[in-house]
Amino acid sequence: MGVDNGSTALGSFLPRLPVGAGAAEATALLQEHGVLVIENALAVRDRHAVDEGLEPWFEAARHGAGPFFGRQTRRFGGLFAKAPACAGLALHPLVLEVMETVLKGPAEAPVCDSIELNLTQAIGIEPGEGAQFLHRDEELWPFARSFEVMANAMWMLDDFTEENGATRLIPGSHRWPRDREPLPGEALTAEAPKGSVVLWLGGVLHAGGANRSAAIRRGVVMSYKLAWLTGGERLLLSTPPEVARHLPERLQRLLGYQLHRPNLGWVEGQDPIRWLRGEIGQLAEVHDNLSDQHVALLDAVERDPAAFAGYLS
Ligand SMILES: O=C(O)CCC(=O)C(=O)O
Protein backbone atom coordinates (compact mmCIF):
# COMPACT_ATOMS: atom_id res chain seq x y z
CA MET A 1 0.00 0.00 0.00
CA GLY A 2 1.29 3.45 -0.83
CA VAL A 3 1.87 6.31 1.56
CA ASP A 4 0.14 9.47 0.50
CA ASN A 5 0.79 13.06 1.41
CA GLY A 6 -2.48 13.43 3.24
CA SER A 7 -4.49 14.95 0.41
CA THR A 8 -6.43 11.69 0.34
CA ALA A 9 -6.09 9.07 3.02
CA LEU A 10 -7.77 6.22 1.12
CA GLY A 11 -5.05 3.64 0.59
CA SER A 12 -2.91 4.99 3.41
CA PHE A 13 -1.67 2.82 6.26
CA LEU A 14 -0.86 3.03 9.95
CA PRO A 15 2.91 3.02 10.39
CA ARG A 16 4.19 0.62 13.04
CA LEU A 17 7.45 0.18 14.87
CA PRO A 18 8.74 -2.28 17.44
CA VAL A 19 9.61 -0.85 20.86
CA GLY A 20 13.34 -1.12 20.18
CA ALA A 21 13.03 1.52 17.45
CA GLY A 22 14.96 4.75 17.72
CA ALA A 23 13.32 8.04 18.63
CA ALA A 24 14.45 9.70 15.39
CA GLU A 25 12.69 7.12 13.23
CA ALA A 26 9.58 7.22 15.40
CA THR A 27 9.48 11.03 15.31
CA ALA A 28 9.87 11.14 11.53
CA LEU A 29 7.02 8.65 11.01
CA LEU A 30 4.74 10.49 13.42
CA GLN A 31 5.42 13.84 11.78
CA GLU A 32 4.87 12.43 8.32
CA HIS A 33 1.74 10.33 8.89
CA GLY A 34 0.40 12.00 12.02
CA VAL A 35 -0.02 8.52 13.53
CA LEU A 36 2.30 5.78 14.79
CA VAL A 37 1.77 2.45 16.52
CA ILE A 38 4.60 1.21 18.74
CA GLU A 39 3.95 -2.43 19.46
CA ASN A 40 4.55 -3.99 22.87
CA ALA A 41 6.02 -0.75 24.18
CA LEU A 42 5.18 -1.58 27.79
CA ALA A 43 6.85 -4.36 29.75
CA VAL A 44 4.32 -6.96 30.93
CA ARG A 45 5.18 -6.30 34.58
CA ASP A 46 4.52 -2.57 34.15
CA ARG A 47 1.23 -3.23 32.38
CA HIS A 48 0.11 -5.48 35.19
CA ALA A 49 0.91 -2.75 37.72
CA VAL A 50 -1.20 -0.25 35.75
CA ASP A 51 -4.01 -2.81 35.38
CA GLU A 52 -3.99 -3.55 39.08
CA GLY A 53 -3.99 0.11 40.05
CA LEU A 54 -6.80 1.05 37.67
CA GLU A 55 -9.03 -2.00 38.11
CA PRO A 56 -11.08 -0.70 41.05
CA TRP A 57 -11.46 2.65 39.31
CA PHE A 58 -12.77 1.10 36.10
CA GLU A 59 -15.29 -0.79 38.27
CA ALA A 60 -16.37 2.37 40.07
CA ALA A 61 -16.27 4.84 37.17
CA ARG A 62 -19.56 6.08 35.82
CA HIS A 63 -20.73 6.02 32.24
CA GLY A 64 -20.51 9.15 30.15
CA ALA A 65 -23.59 11.30 29.85
CA GLY A 66 -23.50 12.44 26.24
CA PRO A 67 -22.88 11.23 22.70
CA PHE A 68 -19.27 12.42 22.55
CA PHE A 69 -17.92 10.87 25.72
CA GLY A 70 -20.23 7.90 25.21
CA ARG A 71 -23.08 6.51 27.26
CA GLN A 72 -21.52 3.03 27.35
CA THR A 73 -18.03 4.32 28.05
CA ARG A 74 -16.39 4.68 31.45
CA ARG A 75 -13.85 7.48 31.81
CA PHE A 76 -11.78 9.00 34.55
CA GLY A 77 -8.75 11.26 34.94
CA GLY A 78 -6.41 12.14 37.80
CA LEU A 79 -4.55 8.93 37.06
CA PHE A 80 -1.41 9.53 39.12
CA ALA A 81 -3.47 10.02 42.25
CA LYS A 82 -5.47 6.86 41.50
CA ALA A 83 -2.74 4.54 40.23
CA PRO A 84 0.87 5.71 40.70
CA ALA A 85 2.05 3.04 38.21
CA CYS A 86 0.60 5.30 35.47
CA ALA A 87 3.73 7.43 35.96
CA GLY A 88 5.55 4.83 33.85
CA LEU A 89 3.22 5.56 30.93
CA ALA A 90 3.71 9.33 31.06
CA LEU A 91 7.48 8.91 31.41
CA HIS A 92 8.01 6.12 28.87
CA PRO A 93 11.45 7.09 27.49
CA LEU A 94 10.77 6.55 23.78
CA VAL A 95 7.32 8.11 23.81
CA LEU A 96 8.45 11.07 25.91
CA GLU A 97 11.43 11.75 23.66
CA VAL A 98 9.22 11.65 20.57
CA MET A 99 6.68 13.98 22.19
CA GLU A 100 9.36 16.47 23.23
CA THR A 101 10.93 16.53 19.79
CA VAL A 102 7.64 16.87 17.94
CA LEU A 103 6.24 19.57 20.21
CA LYS A 104 9.31 21.67 20.97
CA GLY A 105 10.05 22.09 17.28
CA PRO A 106 13.46 22.84 15.78
CA ALA A 107 16.31 23.24 18.31
CA GLU A 108 17.34 26.54 16.68
CA ALA A 109 13.86 28.02 17.05
CA PRO A 110 11.86 26.07 19.67
CA VAL A 111 8.22 27.01 20.18
CA CYS A 112 8.38 26.26 23.91
CA ASP A 113 10.91 25.69 26.68
CA SER A 114 9.18 22.53 27.80
CA ILE A 115 6.16 20.34 27.32
CA GLU A 116 3.55 19.33 29.87
CA LEU A 117 0.70 16.89 30.09
CA ASN A 118 -2.58 18.08 28.66
CA LEU A 119 -4.61 15.38 30.37
CA THR A 120 -4.58 11.83 31.64
CA GLN A 121 -7.64 9.71 30.95
CA ALA A 122 -8.60 6.07 31.30
CA ILE A 123 -11.23 5.03 28.77
CA GLY A 124 -13.21 1.82 28.97
CA ILE A 125 -15.47 1.29 25.95
CA GLU A 126 -18.10 -1.28 26.88
CA PRO A 127 -19.91 -3.79 24.70
CA GLY A 128 -22.71 -2.11 22.78
CA GLU A 129 -21.05 1.32 22.58
CA GLY A 130 -21.29 2.89 19.13
CA ALA A 131 -18.55 4.58 17.12
CA GLN A 132 -17.45 7.97 18.40
CA PHE A 133 -17.52 11.01 16.08
CA LEU A 134 -14.16 11.62 14.36
CA HIS A 135 -12.58 14.76 15.78
CA ARG A 136 -9.32 16.69 16.24
CA ASP A 137 -8.13 17.25 19.80
CA GLU A 138 -6.10 20.34 18.91
CA GLU A 139 -9.38 22.23 18.47
CA LEU A 140 -9.14 22.88 22.21
CA TRP A 141 -6.99 25.86 21.23
CA PRO A 142 -8.62 27.88 18.46
CA PHE A 143 -5.77 29.88 16.99
CA ALA A 144 -3.93 29.63 13.68
CA ARG A 145 -0.41 28.18 13.88
CA SER A 146 2.28 26.52 11.82
CA PHE A 147 3.54 24.15 14.54
CA GLU A 148 2.24 21.23 16.58
CA VAL A 149 0.54 22.12 19.86
CA MET A 150 -0.37 18.69 21.21
CA ALA A 151 -0.03 14.97 20.65
CA ASN A 152 -1.55 11.91 22.30
CA ALA A 153 -0.40 8.49 23.40
CA MET A 154 -3.14 5.86 23.84
CA TRP A 155 -1.82 2.95 25.89
CA MET A 156 -3.65 -0.30 25.23
CA LEU A 157 -4.54 -2.24 28.36
CA ASP A 158 -6.43 -4.83 26.29
CA ASP A 159 -5.73 -6.10 22.80
CA PHE A 160 -7.16 -3.41 20.53
CA THR A 161 -9.22 -4.95 17.72
CA GLU A 162 -11.64 -3.78 15.08
CA GLU A 163 -14.35 -5.70 16.95
CA ASN A 164 -13.78 -4.28 20.45
CA GLY A 165 -13.57 -0.59 19.58
CA ALA A 166 -9.89 0.08 18.92
CA THR A 167 -9.12 3.73 18.22
CA ARG A 168 -9.82 4.75 14.61
CA LEU A 169 -7.57 7.33 12.97
CA ILE A 170 -7.01 8.89 9.57
CA PRO A 171 -3.30 9.04 8.80
CA GLY A 172 -2.39 12.24 6.99
CA SER A 173 -5.50 14.11 8.11
CA HIS A 174 -3.34 16.54 10.13
CA ARG A 175 -2.38 18.04 6.77
CA TRP A 176 -5.85 18.30 5.34
CA PRO A 177 -7.49 21.65 4.80
CA ARG A 178 -9.80 21.98 7.77
CA ASP A 179 -12.93 21.99 5.61
CA ARG A 180 -12.01 18.62 4.06
CA GLU A 181 -14.49 16.06 5.38
CA PRO A 182 -13.65 12.41 5.99
CA LEU A 183 -15.06 9.85 3.58
CA PRO A 184 -16.56 6.56 4.71
CA GLY A 185 -13.77 4.03 5.09
CA GLU A 186 -10.91 6.51 5.45
CA ALA A 187 -10.43 5.89 9.17
CA LEU A 188 -8.10 2.98 9.92
CA THR A 189 -8.28 0.89 13.06
CA ALA A 190 -5.28 0.83 15.40
CA GLU A 191 -5.23 -2.89 16.05
CA ALA A 192 -2.36 -4.00 18.27
CA PRO A 193 -1.70 -6.25 21.25
CA LYS A 194 -2.13 -4.98 24.81
CA GLY A 195 0.92 -3.10 26.01
CA SER A 196 1.19 -1.32 22.64
CA VAL A 197 0.70 2.41 22.24
CA VAL A 198 -0.72 4.46 19.39
CA LEU A 199 0.56 8.02 19.05
CA TRP A 200 -1.18 10.74 17.07
CA LEU A 201 -0.80 14.44 16.47
CA GLY A 202 -3.48 16.89 17.60
CA GLY A 203 -4.56 17.57 14.01
CA VAL A 204 -5.35 13.94 13.21
CA LEU A 205 -8.99 12.93 12.91
CA HIS A 206 -9.61 10.06 15.28
CA ALA A 207 -12.27 8.49 17.51
CA GLY A 208 -13.05 5.55 19.71
CA GLY A 209 -14.47 2.61 17.75
CA ALA A 210 -17.75 0.74 18.27
CA ASN A 211 -17.44 -2.19 20.65
CA ARG A 212 -19.18 -5.22 19.11
CA SER A 213 -17.33 -7.69 21.33
CA ALA A 214 -18.45 -9.12 24.67
CA ALA A 215 -15.74 -7.45 26.76
CA ILE A 216 -14.70 -3.93 27.73
CA ARG A 217 -11.85 -2.27 25.76
CA ARG A 218 -9.60 -0.39 28.17
CA GLY A 219 -7.01 2.21 27.24
CA VAL A 220 -5.15 5.07 28.90
CA VAL A 221 -4.51 8.37 27.17
CA MET A 222 -1.46 10.42 28.08
CA SER A 223 -1.90 13.67 26.20
CA TYR A 224 1.00 16.15 25.88
CA LYS A 225 1.00 19.83 24.92
CA LEU A 226 3.17 22.91 24.80
CA ALA A 227 3.74 24.01 28.39
CA TRP A 228 2.44 27.51 27.70
CA LEU A 229 -1.04 26.29 26.80
CA THR A 230 -3.77 25.64 29.36
CA GLY A 231 -4.44 21.92 29.60
CA GLY A 232 -7.71 20.07 29.17
CA GLU A 233 -7.38 18.63 32.67
CA ARG A 234 -6.52 20.80 35.70
CA LEU A 235 -3.69 18.50 36.63
CA LEU A 236 -2.53 20.57 39.59
CA LEU A 237 -5.92 19.82 41.17
CA SER A 238 -6.24 16.20 40.11
CA THR A 239 -2.64 15.59 41.21
CA PRO A 240 -2.46 17.88 44.25
CA PRO A 241 0.82 18.67 46.01
CA GLU A 242 0.45 15.91 48.61
CA VAL A 243 0.34 13.37 45.76
CA ALA A 244 2.76 15.14 43.41
CA ARG A 245 5.47 15.33 46.10
CA HIS A 246 5.95 11.56 45.83
CA LEU A 247 6.29 11.48 42.04
CA PRO A 248 9.52 11.69 40.03
CA GLU A 249 10.62 15.27 39.34
CA ARG A 250 10.27 14.79 35.58
CA LEU A 251 6.60 13.96 36.10
CA GLN A 252 6.10 16.81 38.57
CA ARG A 253 7.27 19.14 35.83
CA LEU A 254 5.07 17.48 33.20
CA LEU A 255 2.14 18.14 35.50
CA GLY A 256 2.89 21.86 35.58
CA TYR A 257 4.98 22.18 38.72
CA GLN A 258 7.43 24.23 36.68
CA LEU A 259 8.10 27.64 35.26
CA HIS A 260 7.98 28.57 31.62
CA ARG A 261 9.64 31.70 30.31
CA PRO A 262 8.63 34.48 30.22
CA ASN A 263 7.06 34.57 33.67
CA LEU A 264 4.48 31.85 33.20
CA GLY A 265 3.27 29.66 36.01
CA TRP A 266 5.27 31.00 38.95
CA VAL A 267 4.54 30.92 42.66
CA GLU A 268 5.75 34.10 44.39
CA GLY A 269 7.97 34.80 41.38
CA GLN A 270 9.71 31.45 41.65
CA ASP A 271 9.67 28.00 40.09
CA PRO A 272 6.71 26.03 41.54
CA ILE A 273 8.97 23.00 41.85
CA ARG A 274 10.70 24.89 44.69
CA TRP A 275 7.34 25.54 46.32
CA LEU A 276 6.46 21.83 45.98
CA ARG A 277 9.71 20.96 47.76
CA GLY A 278 8.89 23.39 50.54
CA GLU A 279 11.85 25.62 49.68
CA ILE A 280 9.77 28.78 49.53
CA GLY A 281 6.97 29.95 51.75
CA GLN A 282 4.29 32.57 51.38
CA LEU A 283 6.77 35.29 50.50
CA ALA A 284 9.89 34.93 48.36
CA GLU A 285 12.32 36.98 46.33
CA VAL A 286 10.64 37.55 42.98
CA HIS A 287 12.97 36.47 40.17
CA ASP A 288 12.92 37.56 36.55
CA ASN A 289 12.18 34.57 34.30
CA LEU A 290 12.58 36.10 30.90
CA SER A 291 13.23 34.89 27.40
CA ASP A 292 16.75 35.21 25.95
CA GLN A 293 15.59 38.19 23.87
CA HIS A 294 14.17 39.96 26.90
CA VAL A 295 17.35 39.33 28.88
CA ALA A 296 19.51 40.70 26.06
CA LEU A 297 17.29 43.76 25.74
CA LEU A 298 17.29 44.50 29.47
CA ASP A 299 21.09 44.01 29.64
CA ALA A 300 21.43 46.56 26.89
CA VAL A 301 19.13 48.94 28.74
CA GLU A 302 21.16 48.59 31.95
CA ARG A 303 24.43 49.19 30.08
CA ASP A 304 23.17 52.25 28.21
CA PRO A 305 19.93 53.66 29.65
CA ALA A 306 20.23 56.82 27.54
CA ALA A 307 19.84 54.78 24.37
CA PHE A 308 16.46 53.58 25.65
CA ALA A 309 15.28 56.82 27.15
CA GLY A 310 11.93 56.53 25.42
CA TYR A 311 11.26 53.28 27.30
CA LEU A 312 12.38 54.62 30.65
CA SER A 313 11.01 58.12 30.82
O1 LIG B 1 -11.05 5.69 23.14
C1 LIG B 1 -10.49 5.94 22.09
O2 LIG B 1 -10.00 5.07 21.38
C2 LIG B 1 -10.36 7.37 21.61
C3 LIG B 1 -11.21 8.30 22.42
C4 LIG B 1 -11.16 9.71 21.97
O3 LIG B 1 -10.61 10.06 20.98
C5 LIG B 1 -11.81 10.75 22.79
O4 LIG B 1 -12.57 10.42 23.69
O5 LIG B 1 -11.59 11.95 22.51
Side-chain angles (χ1 to χ4, degrees):
M1 276 191 183
V3 181
D4 64 37
N5 65 7
S7 58
T8 166
L10 285 172
S12 67
F13 70 103
L14 283 178
R16 286 172 190 267
L17 285 177
V19 68
E25 188 185 4
T27 303
L29 282 170
L30 182 61
Q31 286 173 322
E32 170 72 11
H33 301 280
V35 182
L36 174 67
V37 174
I38 304 171
E39 293 187 343
N40 302 309
L42 197 58
V44 173
R45 193 187 51 239
D46 296 340
R47 182 170 53 75
H48 285 162
V50 172
D51 268 346
E52 205 180 313
L54 293 182
E55 190 188 343
W57 296 99
F58 271 114
E59 290 279 319
R62 300 177 55 174
H63 290 123
F68 182 74
F69 283 136
R71 298 185 178 96
Q72 290 301 319
T73 298
R74 295 176 193 256
R75 286 173 197 264
F76 51 93
L79 297 188
F80 308 118
K82 293 184 171 73
C86 289
L89 306 182
L91 295 173
H92 186 278
L94 174 59
V95 172
L96 191 52
E97 188 174 346
V98 170
M99 293 294 175
E100 291 214 287
T101 310
V102 164
L103 294 176
K104 280 189 176 173
E108 62 284 5
V111 295
C112 61
D113 286 346
S114 52
I115 65 168
E116 288 179 2
L117 284 162
N118 167 43
L119 59 81
T120 65
Q121 193 171 79
I123 305 179
I125 301 183
E126 294 193 331
E129 180 65 280
Q132 193 187 32
F133 190 78
L134 287 165
H135 57 280
R136 292 185 166 93
D137 288 344
E138 68 176 19
E139 289 171 3
L140 287 175
W141 301 285
F143 63 92
R145 62 248 173 184
S146 56
F147 48 84
E148 300 302 335
V149 292
M150 68 160 301
N152 287 335
M154 165 67 94
W155 289 93
M156 305 179 189
L157 300 185
D158 295 304
D159 292 344
F160 269 33
T161 67
E162 218 278 317
E163 196 193 8
N164 76 1
T167 313
R168 298 176 311 124
L169 309 108
I170 306 187
S173 54
H174 58 309
R175 299 204 175 137
W176 287 2
R178 289 308 187 245
D179 58 355
R180 154 83 153 87
E181 293 193 8
L183 303 172
E186 278 190 303
L188 304 183
T189 306
E191 292 192 302
K194 56 186 145 198
S196 303
V197 63
V198 55
L199 313 183
W200 69 91
L201 300 179
V204 166
L205 282 168
H206 70 281
N211 188 346
R212 296 184 302 278
S213 78
I216 189 168
R217 186 235 70 180
R218 296 163 313 134
V220 168
V221 177
M222 290 291 159
S223 179
Y224 302 80
K225 63 169 179 70
L226 307 185
W228 48 260
L229 289 170
T230 298
E233 181 180 7
R234 293 280 186 213
L235 285 154
L236 299 186
L237 295 178
S238 64
T239 322
E242 58 274 20
V243 174
R245 260 183 209 113
H246 304 292
L247 298 174
E249 180 180 336
R250 185 73 191 88
L251 185 52
Q252 293 170 341
R253 293 186 177 279
L254 281 173
L255 288 164
Y257 291 95
Q258 69 174 355
L259 261 184
H260 192 287
R261 296 174 304 161
N263 293 331
L264 277 176
W266 43 259
V267 178
E268 291 295 328
Q270 297 228 7
D271 191 336
I273 202 93
R274 300 200 60 214
W275 178 86
L276 190 64
R277 291 178 192 144
E279 291 172 10
I280 55 172
Q282 285 190 301
L283 286 175
E285 190 181 53
V286 175
H287 287 202
D288 286 350
N289 290 288
L290 303 176
S291 66
D292 294 344
Q293 287 138 302
H294 286 128
V295 170
L297 177 64
L298 291 182
D299 280 352
V301 172
E302 282 199 321
R303 275 196 312 274
D304 186 4
F308 297 89
Y311 289 89
L312 294 168
S313 54

